[in-house]
Structures are given as structure tokens and as C-alpha cells.
PDB file of all heavy atoms in Angstrom:
ATOM      1  N   VAL A   9     114.097  90.602  94.168  1.00 77.00           N
ATOM      2  CA  VAL A   9     114.325  89.891  95.423  1.00 77.00           C
ATOM      3  C   VAL A   9     113.126  89.001  95.717  1.00 77.00           C
ATOM      4  O   VAL A   9     111.981  89.449  95.632  1.00 77.00           O
ATOM      5  CB  VAL A   9     114.545  90.902  96.566  1.00 77.00           C
ATOM      6  CG1 VAL A   9     114.739  90.172  97.889  1.00 77.00           C
ATOM      7  CG2 VAL A   9     115.752  91.795  96.243  1.00 77.00           C
ATOM      8  N   PRO A  10     113.322  87.750  96.065  1.00 86.00           N
ATOM      9  CA  PRO A  10     112.184  86.862  96.332  1.00 86.00           C
ATOM     10  C   PRO A  10     111.399  87.290  97.567  1.00 86.00           C
ATOM     11  O   PRO A  10     111.943  87.878  98.502  1.00 86.00           O
ATOM     12  CB  PRO A  10     112.840  85.492  96.539  1.00 86.00           C
ATOM     13  CG  PRO A  10     114.253  85.784  96.896  1.00 86.00           C
ATOM     14  CD  PRO A  10     114.616  87.059  96.194  1.00 86.00           C
ATOM     15  N   VAL A  11     110.087  87.022  97.533  1.00 90.00           N
ATOM     16  CA  VAL A  11     109.207  87.327  98.656  1.00 90.00           C
ATOM     17  C   VAL A  11     109.076  86.072  99.513  1.00 90.00           C
ATOM     18  O   VAL A  11     108.777  84.987  99.010  1.00 90.00           O
ATOM     19  CB  VAL A  11     107.816  87.772  98.151  1.00 90.00           C
ATOM     20  CG1 VAL A  11     106.853  87.963  99.326  1.00 90.00           C
ATOM     21  CG2 VAL A  11     107.937  89.054  97.335  1.00 90.00           C
ATOM     22  N   ASP A  12     109.282  86.233 100.809  1.00 92.00           N
ATOM     23  CA  ASP A  12     109.165  85.105 101.739  1.00 92.00           C
ATOM     24  C   ASP A  12     107.712  85.015 102.211  1.00 92.00           C
ATOM     25  O   ASP A  12     107.338  85.542 103.268  1.00 92.00           O
ATOM     26  CB  ASP A  12     110.117  85.312 102.922  1.00 92.00           C
ATOM     27  CG  ASP A  12     110.232  84.065 103.799  1.00 92.00           C
ATOM     28  OD1 ASP A  12     109.355  83.189 103.700  1.00 92.00           O
ATOM     29  OD2 ASP A  12     111.195  83.998 104.588  1.00 92.00           O
ATOM     30  N   TRP A  13     106.869  84.381 101.408  1.00 93.00           N
ATOM     31  CA  TRP A  13     105.446  84.294 101.718  1.00 93.00           C
ATOM     32  C   TRP A  13     105.188  83.523 103.006  1.00 93.00           C
ATOM     33  O   TRP A  13     104.258  83.844 103.757  1.00 93.00           O
ATOM     34  CB  TRP A  13     104.694  83.659 100.556  1.00 93.00           C
ATOM     35  CG  TRP A  13     104.702  84.503  99.316  1.00 93.00           C
ATOM     36  CD1 TRP A  13     105.503  84.350  98.220  1.00 93.00           C
ATOM     37  CD2 TRP A  13     103.922  85.671  99.080  1.00 93.00           C
ATOM     38  NE1 TRP A  13     105.263  85.342  97.307  1.00 93.00           N
ATOM     39  CE2 TRP A  13     104.285  86.168  97.806  1.00 93.00           C
ATOM     40  CE3 TRP A  13     102.942  86.347  99.802  1.00 93.00           C
ATOM     41  CZ2 TRP A  13     103.711  87.305  97.245  1.00 93.00           C
ATOM     42  CZ3 TRP A  13     102.365  87.475  99.242  1.00 93.00           C
ATOM     43  CH2 TRP A  13     102.734  87.942  97.983  1.00 93.00           C
ATOM     44  N   GLU A  14     106.024  82.500 103.261  1.00 91.00           N
ATOM     45  CA  GLU A  14     105.828  81.718 104.493  1.00 91.00           C
ATOM     46  C   GLU A  14     106.059  82.591 105.733  1.00 91.00           C
ATOM     47  O   GLU A  14     105.309  82.507 106.711  1.00 91.00           O
ATOM     48  CB  GLU A  14     106.781  80.513 104.501  1.00 91.00           C
ATOM     49  CG  GLU A  14     106.399  79.399 103.543  1.00 91.00           C
ATOM     50  CD  GLU A  14     106.656  79.755 102.073  1.00 91.00           C
ATOM     51  OE1 GLU A  14     107.412  80.732 101.817  1.00 91.00           O
ATOM     52  OE2 GLU A  14     106.097  79.085 101.187  1.00 91.00           O
ATOM     53  N   ALA A  15     107.059  83.472 105.665  1.00 93.00           N
ATOM     54  CA  ALA A  15     107.310  84.368 106.795  1.00 93.00           C
ATOM     55  C   ALA A  15     106.184  85.385 106.929  1.00 93.00           C
ATOM     56  O   ALA A  15     105.751  85.718 108.039  1.00 93.00           O
ATOM     57  CB  ALA A  15     108.653  85.070 106.613  1.00 93.00           C
ATOM     58  N   LEU A  16     105.680  85.857 105.801  1.00 96.00           N
ATOM     59  CA  LEU A  16     104.584  86.826 105.835  1.00 96.00           C
ATOM     60  C   LEU A  16     103.319  86.208 106.412  1.00 96.00           C
ATOM     61  O   LEU A  16     102.487  86.911 106.996  1.00 96.00           O
ATOM     62  CB  LEU A  16     104.307  87.352 104.423  1.00 96.00           C
ATOM     63  CG  LEU A  16     105.358  88.289 103.825  1.00 96.00           C
ATOM     64  CD1 LEU A  16     105.048  88.571 102.361  1.00 96.00           C
ATOM     65  CD2 LEU A  16     105.410  89.588 104.607  1.00 96.00           C
ATOM     66  N   ALA A  17     103.168  84.910 106.236  1.00 96.00           N
ATOM     67  CA  ALA A  17     101.969  84.236 106.751  1.00 96.00           C
ATOM     68  C   ALA A  17     101.855  84.385 108.261  1.00 96.00           C
ATOM     69  O   ALA A  17     100.743  84.429 108.808  1.00 96.00           O
ATOM     70  CB  ALA A  17     101.994  82.758 106.367  1.00 96.00           C
ATOM     71  N   GLY A  18     102.995  84.486 108.936  1.00 94.00           N
ATOM     72  CA  GLY A  18     102.956  84.607 110.385  1.00 94.00           C
ATOM     73  C   GLY A  18     102.989  86.037 110.895  1.00 94.00           C
ATOM     74  O   GLY A  18     102.928  86.265 112.109  1.00 94.00           O
ATOM     75  N   ALA A  19     103.062  87.004 109.976  1.00 93.00           N
ATOM     76  CA  ALA A  19     103.135  88.404 110.395  1.00 93.00           C
ATOM     77  C   ALA A  19     101.773  88.862 110.904  1.00 93.00           C
ATOM     78  O   ALA A  19     100.746  88.611 110.268  1.00 93.00           O
ATOM     79  CB  ALA A  19     103.589  89.281 109.238  1.00 93.00           C
ATOM     80  N   PRO A  20     101.740  89.557 112.028  1.00 94.00           N
ATOM     81  CA  PRO A  20     100.457  90.046 112.545  1.00 94.00           C
ATOM     82  C   PRO A  20      99.976  91.257 111.747  1.00 94.00           C
ATOM     83  O   PRO A  20     100.711  91.842 110.955  1.00 94.00           O
ATOM     84  CB  PRO A  20     100.791  90.432 113.989  1.00 94.00           C
ATOM     85  CG  PRO A  20     102.239  90.803 113.941  1.00 94.00           C
ATOM     86  CD  PRO A  20     102.865  89.909 112.920  1.00 94.00           C
ATOM     87  N   GLY A  21      98.725  91.636 111.978  1.00 96.00           N
ATOM     88  CA  GLY A  21      98.188  92.852 111.371  1.00 96.00           C
ATOM     89  C   GLY A  21      97.708  92.644 109.941  1.00 96.00           C
ATOM     90  O   GLY A  21      97.269  91.556 109.558  1.00 96.00           O
ATOM     91  N   THR A  22      97.840  93.685 109.147  1.00 98.00           N
ATOM     92  CA  THR A  22      97.293  93.706 107.790  1.00 98.00           C
ATOM     93  C   THR A  22      98.395  93.476 106.769  1.00 98.00           C
ATOM     94  O   THR A  22      99.501  94.004 106.901  1.00 98.00           O
ATOM     95  CB  THR A  22      96.635  95.079 107.503  1.00 98.00           C
ATOM     96  OG1 THR A  22      95.670  95.348 108.504  1.00 98.00           O
ATOM     97  CG2 THR A  22      95.962  95.083 106.137  1.00 98.00           C
ATOM     98  N   LEU A  23      98.078  92.693 105.753  1.00 98.00           N
ATOM     99  CA  LEU A  23      98.991  92.456 104.643  1.00 98.00           C
ATOM    100  C   LEU A  23      98.386  93.088 103.389  1.00 98.00           C
ATOM    101  O   LEU A  23      97.246  92.792 103.019  1.00 98.00           O
ATOM    102  CB  LEU A  23      99.212  90.959 104.425  1.00 98.00           C
ATOM    103  CG  LEU A  23     100.146  90.559 103.270  1.00 98.00           C
ATOM    104  CD1 LEU A  23     101.555  91.103 103.517  1.00 98.00           C
ATOM    105  CD2 LEU A  23     100.168  89.043 103.101  1.00 98.00           C
ATOM    106  N   VAL A  24      99.145  93.984 102.741  1.00 98.00           N
ATOM    107  CA  VAL A  24      98.686  94.645 101.517  1.00 98.00           C
ATOM    108  C   VAL A  24      99.607  94.219 100.386  1.00 98.00           C
ATOM    109  O   VAL A  24     100.823  94.413 100.465  1.00 98.00           O
ATOM    110  CB  VAL A  24      98.696  96.182 101.659  1.00 98.00           C
ATOM    111  CG1 VAL A  24      98.253  96.835 100.350  1.00 98.00           C
ATOM    112  CG2 VAL A  24      97.784  96.612 102.805  1.00 98.00           C
ATOM    113  N   VAL A  25      99.017  93.621  99.352  1.00 97.00           N
ATOM    114  CA  VAL A  25      99.790  93.109  98.219  1.00 97.00           C
ATOM    115  C   VAL A  25      99.489  93.954  96.985  1.00 97.00           C
ATOM    116  O   VAL A  25      98.337  94.041  96.549  1.00 97.00           O
ATOM    117  CB  VAL A  25      99.458  91.636  97.938  1.00 97.00           C
ATOM    118  CG1 VAL A  25     100.356  91.093  96.826  1.00 97.00           C
ATOM    119  CG2 VAL A  25      99.599  90.789  99.202  1.00 97.00           C
ATOM    120  N   LEU A  26     100.522  94.574  96.432  1.00 95.00           N
ATOM    121  CA  LEU A  26     100.371  95.360  95.213  1.00 95.00           C
ATOM    122  C   LEU A  26     100.824  94.537  94.010  1.00 95.00           C
ATOM    123  O   LEU A  26     101.720  93.704  94.120  1.00 95.00           O
ATOM    124  CB  LEU A  26     101.197  96.650  95.286  1.00 95.00           C
ATOM    125  CG  LEU A  26     100.644  97.777  96.174  1.00 95.00           C
ATOM    126  CD1 LEU A  26     100.807  97.464  97.653  1.00 95.00           C
ATOM    127  CD2 LEU A  26     101.351  99.089  95.853  1.00 95.00           C
ATOM    128  N   MET A  27     100.209  94.772  92.873  1.00 90.00           N
ATOM    129  CA  MET A  27     100.585  94.121  91.612  1.00 90.00           C
ATOM    130  C   MET A  27     100.540  92.596  91.735  1.00 90.00           C
ATOM    131  O   MET A  27     101.432  91.900  91.261  1.00 90.00           O
ATOM    132  CB  MET A  27     101.983  94.568  91.174  1.00 90.00           C
ATOM    133  CG  MET A  27     102.114  96.076  91.009  1.00 90.00           C
ATOM    134  SD  MET A  27     103.775  96.599  90.548  1.00 90.00           S
ATOM    135  CE  MET A  27     104.706  96.111  92.008  1.00 90.00           C
ATOM    136  N   GLY A  28      99.488  92.081  92.355  1.00 87.00           N
ATOM    137  CA  GLY A  28      99.448  90.648  92.592  1.00 87.00           C
ATOM    138  C   GLY A  28      98.303  89.909  91.937  1.00 87.00           C
ATOM    139  O   GLY A  28      98.026  88.758  92.306  1.00 87.00           O
ATOM    140  N   VAL A  29      97.629  90.491  90.962  1.00 93.00           N
ATOM    141  CA  VAL A  29      96.454  89.837  90.379  1.00 93.00           C
ATOM    142  C   VAL A  29      96.837  88.580  89.614  1.00 93.00           C
ATOM    143  O   VAL A  29      96.207  87.523  89.761  1.00 93.00           O
ATOM    144  CB  VAL A  29      95.687  90.813  89.460  1.00 93.00           C
ATOM    145  CG1 VAL A  29      94.536  90.096  88.758  1.00 93.00           C
ATOM    146  CG2 VAL A  29      95.152  91.985  90.270  1.00 93.00           C
ATOM    147  N   ARG A  30      97.891  88.659  88.781  1.00 91.00           N
ATOM    148  CA  ARG A  30      98.243  87.513  87.948  1.00 91.00           C
ATOM    149  C   ARG A  30      98.752  86.328  88.766  1.00 91.00           C
ATOM    150  O   ARG A  30      98.638  85.182  88.343  1.00 91.00           O
ATOM    151  CB  ARG A  30      99.295  87.932  86.907  1.00 91.00           C
ATOM    152  CG  ARG A  30      98.739  88.889  85.853  1.00 91.00           C
ATOM    153  CD  ARG A  30      99.735  89.105  84.708  1.00 91.00           C
ATOM    154  NE  ARG A  30      99.153  89.986  83.695  1.00 91.00           N
ATOM    155  CZ  ARG A  30      99.246  91.295  83.709  1.00 91.00           C
ATOM    156  NH1 ARG A  30      99.907  91.898  84.692  1.00 91.00           N
ATOM    157  NH2 ARG A  30      98.688  92.027  82.763  1.00 91.00           N
ATOM    158  N   GLN A  31      99.308  86.608  89.928  1.00 92.00           N
ATOM    159  CA  GLN A  31      99.812  85.536  90.786  1.00 92.00           C
ATOM    160  C   GLN A  31      98.949  85.380  92.046  1.00 92.00           C
ATOM    161  O   GLN A  31      99.410  84.857  93.055  1.00 92.00           O
ATOM    162  CB  GLN A  31     101.259  85.850  91.191  1.00 92.00           C
ATOM    163  CG  GLN A  31     102.224  85.961  90.032  1.00 92.00           C
ATOM    164  CD  GLN A  31     102.342  84.651  89.262  1.00 92.00           C
ATOM    165  OE1 GLN A  31     102.291  83.567  89.850  1.00 92.00           O
ATOM    166  NE2 GLN A  31     102.497  84.740  87.944  1.00 92.00           N
ATOM    167  N   LEU A  32      97.689  85.840  91.946  1.00 95.00           N
ATOM    168  CA  LEU A  32      96.835  85.876  93.132  1.00 95.00           C
ATOM    169  C   LEU A  32      96.663  84.495  93.749  1.00 95.00           C
ATOM    170  O   LEU A  32      96.885  84.299  94.960  1.00 95.00           O
ATOM    171  CB  LEU A  32      95.468  86.463  92.760  1.00 95.00           C
ATOM    172  CG  LEU A  32      94.418  86.500  93.869  1.00 95.00           C
ATOM    173  CD1 LEU A  32      94.898  87.367  95.035  1.00 95.00           C
ATOM    174  CD2 LEU A  32      93.092  87.035  93.335  1.00 95.00           C
ATOM    175  N   ARG A  33      96.255  83.516  92.956  1.00 95.00           N
ATOM    176  CA  ARG A  33      96.008  82.177  93.508  1.00 95.00           C
ATOM    177  C   ARG A  33      97.284  81.593  94.100  1.00 95.00           C
ATOM    178  O   ARG A  33      97.268  81.033  95.212  1.00 95.00           O
ATOM    179  CB  ARG A  33      95.452  81.266  92.417  1.00 95.00           C
ATOM    180  CG  ARG A  33      95.002  79.886  92.930  1.00 95.00           C
ATOM    181  CD  ARG A  33      94.389  79.071  91.820  1.00 95.00           C
ATOM    182  NE  ARG A  33      93.192  79.700  91.296  1.00 95.00           N
ATOM    183  CZ  ARG A  33      91.986  79.594  91.843  1.00 95.00           C
ATOM    184  NH1 ARG A  33      91.829  78.896  92.966  1.00 95.00           N
ATOM    185  NH2 ARG A  33      90.957  80.179  91.284  1.00 95.00           N
ATOM    186  N   ARG A  34      98.380  81.719  93.376  1.00 95.00           N
ATOM    187  CA  ARG A  34      99.659  81.174  93.848  1.00 95.00           C
ATOM    188  C   ARG A  34     100.075  81.816  95.169  1.00 95.00           C
ATOM    189  O   ARG A  34     100.495  81.120  96.112  1.00 95.00           O
ATOM    190  CB  ARG A  34     100.714  81.416  92.768  1.00 95.00           C
ATOM    191  CG  ARG A  34     102.146  81.201  93.193  1.00 95.00           C
ATOM    192  CD  ARG A  34     103.085  81.634  92.050  1.00 95.00           C
ATOM    193  NE  ARG A  34     104.459  81.616  92.453  1.00 95.00           N
ATOM    194  CZ  ARG A  34     105.079  82.588  93.095  1.00 95.00           C
ATOM    195  NH1 ARG A  34     104.389  83.669  93.433  1.00 95.00           N
ATOM    196  NH2 ARG A  34     106.356  82.502  93.411  1.00 95.00           N
TER     197      ARG A  34
END
């Protein structure tokens, strides 16, 4: 399922990303 990064950008609080090293910059 695709991740809605734009929606997450507006989410308050803490964002924890797992398994994201290879796509870190993107």
C-alpha cells in the first residue's frame, strides 16, 4: 500500500519510520 508522505508531513507529534534507510533521502 502506498505511503501518503504529504499527509504525514502535516501529522502532529512524532513520526517513526522503520526500514527506511535505502529510501531515506527520498
